[in-house]
Amino acid sequence: MNLIQDDKAYRQVRKLVENNRYDLIHCHSPIGGVIGRIVAHETGIKVIYTAHGFHFYTGGPKKNWMIYYPN
């Protein structure tokens, strides 16, 4: 995680959403998924997050569930 890069990505996604009329945001990566879901929540756009990998699983760390699972 790089907070400067993550903030830059957030601002870029937010600007794209503000300048275009999207009906849906579809996220794939863990950090991109967090950024996409934050922007979607802030703007009222529906979001789909497709998890690729095992960031959350039965018996996995609760931190992973709290970060990656909620919509």
Side-chain angles (χ1 to χ4, degrees), residues 22-37:
Y22 296 117
D23 297 320
L24 178 71
I25 296 175
H26 188 186
C27 311
H28 293 269
S29 67
I31 300 302
V34 170
I35 292 169
R37 286 180 285 173

Side-chain angles (χ1 to χ4, degrees), residues 12-23 43 45:
Q12 289 175 338
V13 172
R14 181 70 191 232
K15 185 175 180 178
L16 281 171
V17 168
E18 290 172 352
N19 292 334
N20 297 284
R21 302 182 97 178
Y22 296 117
D23 297 320
T43 58
I45 297 173

Side-chain angles (χ1 to χ4, degrees), residues 8-68:
K8 182 178 177 181
Y10 165 80
R11 287 185 276 116
Q12 289 175 338
V13 172
R14 181 70 191 232
K15 185 175 180 178
L16 281 171
V17 168
E18 290 172 352
N19 292 334
N20 297 284
R21 302 182 97 178
Y22 296 117
D23 297 320
L24 178 71
I25 296 175
H26 188 186
C27 311
H28 293 269
S29 67
I31 300 302
V34 170
I35 292 169
R37 286 180 285 173
I38 289 170
V39 171
H41 177 75
E42 292 174 345
T43 58
I45 297 173
K46 293 180 183 179
V47 64
I48 296 173
Y49 173 60
T50 303
H52 297 281
F54 300 98
H55 304 291
F56 55 91
Y57 50 90
T58 302
K62 290 183 182 187
K63 176 182 80 168
N64 288 3
W65 279 90
M66 293 176 70
I67 293 171
Y68 298 116

